[in-house]
């Protein structure tokens, strides 16, 4: 479709064959569409599976990546529940995975003794389903001496976002069937959340309402939340809250802070608009009255508020404006009574943003990004009986690397001030430590206890990490990380540039054994571009690339590509680009708007048809990010970054690999299918592969993930090597 065709498309229905000759490829399970997919997959396997003098073999790359994914030496990520540490694990033996547990003492050893709670491979075989783990929630017992017994696990067929929920007895290590009173939720987007031993909140697709209205939103997520009591049919569940059809997602949960139990209802209106309601002791829903763009989080006697936009309040001292990106605190009861005396816990600077805040029993650990590098601080709130206005105390928490990422998570925020510390960077294997958090008045704690370290999956000798800044079209400094040979001889090198640039998601350094083996150890240079649209510098960095300003994200990515060439790192013919989901939209725009900058592009699970994206699966939920194409005024700017409509038959494009998943029920596989078909009909160098499972992640197990990764690396080496 040429730009002129796009002009005509603005005047015709978006679902008209006259404007979209490839509309039939949106029929996900249609025989004609699947026949096209099978043919493209066979071509991709044949092309990328053929030996090449300039590229490692597909089988070799897949084996390298799979060995990392299946390694028994990876760090088991654990959650403390009572006397046990729980972990979900996949490897060559447990292909679908196993939910298991051990003790802290055993975990400290090189060979922990694991006890299986739920074996997904056995369950999948027994039920004839391709179950994919979606997580678990466990009910904290009211008696601290009682065993942790009640859990809800979420399982997906083939990796789709839609899943089922099942109750699991952790003592008996079995799924509790409905015949025994167990909670089971049928397949839909939604979930269950514990209230107590005999009740849950349920938010799901309940089928048509009393008047035939849908109980899901236009984005396909829950619109209604109900209270469901054990032993009763779902149809008897009591409605707690109903949202609007054009809302995004409705849910509820009980915050089980001892002495401060609260039932909370969340109304997500759009991606950056939320309302939080407190179901008070009189069973009245009361709005927690913060800006809709803010995130409100009650915790014991406190309410934390993280701002995305400036907020002006009338405090006791007068009118006060708090900036976007700030983290504020107030006593919950005082705030609900009308007080707007807020304590500033964090305020951003031009180089810093809030990466996260984690409660322990007595403290709040604040994680700050400073030029995309983590810095940790411990904040201690005043005692419950302290006078109003008593400040929080502050002290540093050491442990963050100079260039790298540090993650902090409470071991048990109800009973302990211990935290898990995860440190990682591009060349140093990830380390898990156990640390004790103290305030400035407490005795100094012992040094963090290193519990686990990931093995080195590739030889990083001679490699180095550096941070650079490119200048975008409007003069903005855009940071990027470069990982590659420290003392490389002059001359261009195969370089892979990765980006995302959306939804306030930050790209921070992390160790990847698969990337290291398949790219870095073979002589490639890897670059991560921290472009606008992400969260690296807080809400302002994200908002700078919303809707009509989307072009800034693409200009930033292009600026990094040019900077790499100007610095002599690579040349356009040796430079590849890769991104998925929103990053796939980024790749589509690199392909159609900046083809001269790249020698190859890998576009994964992408959005590409921005005329129809709101009509496909969960697309309507992203209108706050991109705009509404059904609004003629908004379509005028959306069309400028819709790759499907920007494709020009007369313009040369670099080779491109599209990958997606038939089971992706978030980003419709039709985006990738239609763009590939359009370009193929224009005799372009296009490779297309669609995994039949995997959901939005693209793969349902380690072998599938390794194969998908190997296809991308094989494609890149052949085109850039």
């Amino acid at each position: 479709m040429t730009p002129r065709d796009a002009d005509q498309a603005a005047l015709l229905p978006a679902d008209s064959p006259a404007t979209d000759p490839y509309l039939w490829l949106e029929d996900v399970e249609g025989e004609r569409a699947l026949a096209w997919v099978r043919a493209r997959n066979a071509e991709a396997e044949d092309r990328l599976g053929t030996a090449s003098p300039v590229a490692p073999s597909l089988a070799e790359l897949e084996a390298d990546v799979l060995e990392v994914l299946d390694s028994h030496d990876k760090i088991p990520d654990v959650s403390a529940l009572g006397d046990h540490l729980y972990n979900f694990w996949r490897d060559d033996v447990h292909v679908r995975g196993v939910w298991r547990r051990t003790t802290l003492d055993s975990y400290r050893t090189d060979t922990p003794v694991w006890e299986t709670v739920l074996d997904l491979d056995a369950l999948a075989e027994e039920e004839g389903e391709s179950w994919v783990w979606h997580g678990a929630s466990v009910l904290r017992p009211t008696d601290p001496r009682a065993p942790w017994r009640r859990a809800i696990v979420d399982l997906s067929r083939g990796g789709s976002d839609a899943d089922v929920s099942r109750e699991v007895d952790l003592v008996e290590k079995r799924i509790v069937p409905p015949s025994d009173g167990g909670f089971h939720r049928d397949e839909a987007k939604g979930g269950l959340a514990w209230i107590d031993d005999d009740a849950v909140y349920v938010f799901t697709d309940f089928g048509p309402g009393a008047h035939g209205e849908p109980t899901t939103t236009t984005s396909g997520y829950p619109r209604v939340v109900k209270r469901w009591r054990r032993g009763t049919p779902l149809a008897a569940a009591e409605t707690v809250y109903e949202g609007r059809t054009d809302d995004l997602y409705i849910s509820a949960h009980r915050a089980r802070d001892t002495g401060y139990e609260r039932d909370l209802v969340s109304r997500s209106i759009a991606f950056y608009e939320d309302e939080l309601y407190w179901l008070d002791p009189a069973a009245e829903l009361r709005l927690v009255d913060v800006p809709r763009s803010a995130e409100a989080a009650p915790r014991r006697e406190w309410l934390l508020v993280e701002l995305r936009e400036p907020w002006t309040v009338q405090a006791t001292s007068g009118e006060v404006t708090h900036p976007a990106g700030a983290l504020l605190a107030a006593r919950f009861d005082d705030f609900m009574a009308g007080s707007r005396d807020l304590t500033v816990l964090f305020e951003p600077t031009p180089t810093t943003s809030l990466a996260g805040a984690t409660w322990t029993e007595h403290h709040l650990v604040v994680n700050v990004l400073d030029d995309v590098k983590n810095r940790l601080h411990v904040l201690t709130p005043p005692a419950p009986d302290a006078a109003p206005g008593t400040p929080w105390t502050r002290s540093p928490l050491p442990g963050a690397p100079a260039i790298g990422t540090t993650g902090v998570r409470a071991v048990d925020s109800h009973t302990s001030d211990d935290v898990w510390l995860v440190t990682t960077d591009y060349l140093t294997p990830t380390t898990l430590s156990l640390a004790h958090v103290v305030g400035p008045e407490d005795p100094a704690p012992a040094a963090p206890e290193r519990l686990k370290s990931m093995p080195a999956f590739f030889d990083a000798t001679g490699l180095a990490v550096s941070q650079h800044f490119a200048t975008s079209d409007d003069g903005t400094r855009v940071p990027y990380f470069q990982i590659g040979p420290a003392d490389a001889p002059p001359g261009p090198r195969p370089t892979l540039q990765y980006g995302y640039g959306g939804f306030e998601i930050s790209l921070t350094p992390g160790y990847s054994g698969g990337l290291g083996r398949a790219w870095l150890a073979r002589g490639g240079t890897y670059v991560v571009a921290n472009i606008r649209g992400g969260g690296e510098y807080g809400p302002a960095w994200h908002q700078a690339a919303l809707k009509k300003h989307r072009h800034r994200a693409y200009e930033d990515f292009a600026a990094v590509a040019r900077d790499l060439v100007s610095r002599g790192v690579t040349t356009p013919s040796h430079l590849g680009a890769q991104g998925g989901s929103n990053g796939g939209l980024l790749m589509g725009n690199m392909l159609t708007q900046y083809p001269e900058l790249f020698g190859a592009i890998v576009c994964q699970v992408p959005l590409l048809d921005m005329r129809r994206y709101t009509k496909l699966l969960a697309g309507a939920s992203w209108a706050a990010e991109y705009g509404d194409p059904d609004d003629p005024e908004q379509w005028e700017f959306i069309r400028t970054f819709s790759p499907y409509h920007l494709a020009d038959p007369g313009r040369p494009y670099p080779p491109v690999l599209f990958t997606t998943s038939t089971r992706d029920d978030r980003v419709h596989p039709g985006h990738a299918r239609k763009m590939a078909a359009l370009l193929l009909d224009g005799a372009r160098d296009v490779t297309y592969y669609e995994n039949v499972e995997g959901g939005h992640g693209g793969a349902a197990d380690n072998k599938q993930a390794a194969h998908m990764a190997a296809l991308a690396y094989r494609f890149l080496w052949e085109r850039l090597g």
Side-chain angles (χ1 to χ4, degrees):
M1 204 173 278
T2 67
R4 182 179 177 183
D5 293 329
D7 291 337
Q8 298 170 348
L11 304 175
L12 295 169
D15 55 358
S16 166
T19 61
D20 191 351
Y22 304 102
L23 195 67
W24 57 276
L25 285 167
E26 291 182 6
D27 185 3
V28 176
E29 301 285 352
E31 184 49 44
R32 182 186 176 196
L34 288 179
W36 182 92
V37 167
R38 288 191 291 268
R40 301 293 81 75
N41 283 0
E43 292 170 0
E45 293 281 7
D46 181 64
R47 177 184 299 181
L48 298 177
T50 302
S52 167
V54 297
S57 72
L58 179 64
E60 182 182 358
L61 289 167
E62 183 173 337
D64 275 354
V65 175
L66 184 59
E67 187 176 358
V68 173
L69 297 177
D70 278 347
S71 171
H72 293 219
D73 295 324
K74 294 177 300 184
I75 298 176
D77 182 37
V78 291
S79 298
L81 302 173
D83 295 332
H84 291 96
L85 303 180
Y86 283 73
N87 162 258
F88 182 75
W89 183 262
R90 291 196 307 196
D91 58 23
D92 54 334
V93 178
H94 307 96
V95 177
R96 294 286 169 181
V98 59
W99 195 30
R100 59 187 189 171
R101 64 190 178 197
T102 189
T103 64
L104 178 57
D105 286 342
S106 182
Y107 188 72
R108 284 186 165 108
T109 68
D110 292 337
T111 55
V113 177
W114 294 98
E115 177 186 12
T116 297
V117 177
L118 183 65
D119 186 332
L120 253 64
D121 293 276
L123 184 67
E125 183 176 357
E126 177 186 340
E127 299 185 348
E129 299 282 3
S130 58
W131 290 127
V132 174
W133 180 258
H134 266 198
S137 60
V138 182
L139 177 66
R140 179 182 294 273
T142 53
D143 183 349
R145 299 165 299 180
W148 292 60
R149 175 181 288 274
R150 304 197 184 281
I152 297 291
V153 300
D154 297 318
L155 305 173
S156 156
R157 289 183 173 92
S160 63
D161 281 1
D163 54 20
V164 303
S165 298
R166 296 186 176 182
E167 183 176 351
V168 171
D169 188 312
L170 299 180
V171 176
E172 299 180 7
K173 295 178 291 186
R174 69 181 181 98
I175 292 176
V176 184
S179 58
D180 289 350
F183 289 109
H184 281 221
R185 180 182 64 89
D186 290 339
E187 185 176 44
K189 295 180 180 180
L192 303 178
W194 287 107
I195 299 174
D196 55 35
D197 282 350
D198 294 310
V200 295
Y201 287 116
V202 53
F203 33 100
T204 191
D205 183 353
F206 295 99
H211 304 289
E213 72 280 9
T215 53
T216 58
T217 66
T218 53
S219 300
Y221 296 110
R223 187 183 67 82
V224 178
V225 60
K226 300 185 180 186
R227 185 185 294 106
W228 186 15
R229 302 186 187 281
R230 187 182 299 281
T232 64
L234 181 60
E238 311 153 22
T239 298
V240 175
Y241 183 83
E242 290 193 35
R244 294 162 47 106
T245 303
D246 58 356
D247 283 345
L248 175 58
Y249 198 116
I250 306 298
S251 64
H253 74 281
R254 172 167 291 181
R256 303 184 64 82
D257 302 318
T258 303
Y260 298 96
E261 290 83 358
R262 297 185 185 95
D263 290 81
L264 302 166
V265 174
S266 172
R267 178 195 178 203
S268 295
I269 302 166
F271 240 91
Y272 315 109
E273 286 188 73
D274 300 275
E275 289 180 345
L276 184 68
Y277 292 89
W278 170 41
L279 191 62
D280 70 13
E284 295 292 330
L285 280 173
R286 297 180 56 190
L287 177 68
V288 180
D289 195 11
V290 301
R292 282 182 168 182
S293 62
E295 182 177 342
R299 171 68 177 181
R300 293 194 289 266
E301 71 266 36
W302 296 100
L303 173 69
L304 297 187
V305 182
E306 183 179 350
L307 299 181
R308 289 195 183 100
E309 297 174 338
W311 185 25
T312 300
V313 297
Q314 191 65 42
T316 301
S317 60
E319 189 174 271
V320 179
T321 298
H322 299 287
L327 180 66
L328 312 173
R331 294 189 184 275
F332 183 86
D333 289 345
D334 292 346
F335 186 89
M336 296 303 292
S339 171
R340 292 301 178 263
D341 291 332
L342 301 163
T343 300
V344 178
L345 302 184
F346 170 79
E347 196 166 279
T349 70
T351 64
T352 62
S353 65
L354 184 67
T358 302
W359 281 104
T360 67
E361 185 179 13
H362 300 105
H363 308 282
L364 181 72
V365 181
V366 174
N367 197 342
V368 174
L369 279 182
D370 189 347
D371 271 336
V372 205
K373 298 178 284 288
N374 291 99
R375 302 292 178 259
L376 306 177
H377 306 273
V378 178
L379 305 182
T380 305
D385 57 354
T390 302
W392 294 48
T393 59
R394 181 183 303 263
S395 57
L397 179 63
I403 292 183
T405 300
T406 301
V408 185
R409 188 162 51 92
V411 173
D412 186 336
S413 62
H414 293 260
T415 63
S416 168
D417 287 317
D418 290 340
V419 294
W420 307 112
L421 283 181
V422 178
T423 57
T424 184
D425 65 47
Y426 292 113
L427 299 178
T428 307
T430 304
T431 296
L432 172 67
S433 300
L434 181 63
H436 186 70
V437 174
V438 300
E441 308 300 325
D442 300 320
E449 175 190 359
R450 179 177 292 197
L451 293 175
K452 302 287 180 185
S453 291
M454 187 181 291
F457 286 112
F458 63 96
D459 184 2
T461 304
L463 301 179
V465 181
S466 53
Q467 188 180 37
H468 306 270
F469 292 83
T471 302
S472 195
D473 290 5
D474 62 359
T476 299
R477 294 173 75 243
V478 180
Y480 66 93
F481 291 104
Q482 178 181 319
I483 308 95
D487 300 306
R493 300 185 296 277
T495 300
L496 175 57
Q497 181 179 331
Y498 181 83
Y500 186 78
F503 297 93
E504 208 171 330
I505 293 173
S506 302
L507 299 184
T508 56
Y511 187 81
S512 169
L515 169 71
R517 286 186 168 198
W519 191 255
L520 295 173
R522 297 176 184 274
T525 293
Y526 187 63
V527 171
V528 176
N530 301 114
I531 62 178
R532 282 175 285 185
E536 288 85 351
Y537 293 106
W541 193 249
H542 169 236
Q543 293 161 9
L546 285 180
K547 296 184 176 179
K548 66 180 180 180
H549 302 301
R550 200 79 203 163
H551 61 92
R552 292 173 177 165
Y554 310 139
E555 291 166 359
D556 289 359
F557 197 83
V560 171
R562 294 191 186 100
D563 199 57
L564 291 168
V565 173
S566 68
R567 291 179 46 238
V569 175
T570 191
T571 64
S573 62
H574 291 86
L575 177 59
Q578 182 180 24
S581 190
N582 172 75
L585 175 60
L586 169 66
M587 293 302 103
N589 277 277
M590 292 303 104
L591 179 72
T592 55
Q593 298 199 58
Y594 301 92
E596 72 282 359
L597 297 181
F598 303 98
I601 289 176
V602 176
C603 186
Q604 300 165 306
V605 289
L607 286 89
L608 295 167
D609 180 355
M610 301 306 289
R611 181 81 167 105
R612 282 183 49 74
Y613 86 94
T614 54
K615 296 176 172 62
L616 300 175
L617 299 175
S621 65
W622 309 319
E625 184 83 10
Y626 307 119
D628 180 3
D630 290 333
D631 180 334
E633 291 185 7
Q634 295 188 56
W635 170 243
E636 284 305 305
F637 65 75
I638 296 171
R639 65 191 293 183
T640 66
F641 60 84
S642 180
Y644 190 55
H645 298 92
L646 294 175
D648 183 350
R651 191 174 189 184
Y653 292 131
V656 58
L657 168 65
F658 294 103
T659 65
T660 188
S661 166
T662 309
R663 292 290 295 175
D664 189 345
D665 57 351
R666 191 181 312 174
V667 176
H668 198 291
H671 286 279
R673 291 177 179 181
K674 295 196 302 180
M675 188 72 171
L678 173 66
L679 294 176
L680 282 167
D681 284 352
R684 301 310 171 84
D685 187 348
V686 175
T687 306
Y688 180 91
Y689 188 86
E690 181 174 319
N691 190 23
V692 296
E693 287 190 308
H696 192 51
D701 57 40
N702 288 350
K703 187 169 179 57
Q704 291 179 20
H707 187 64
M708 298 294 284
L711 289 170
Y713 290 125
R714 176 64 171 75
F715 170 82
L716 289 164
W717 276 119
E718 182 175 305
R719 299 305 197 275
L720 307 176

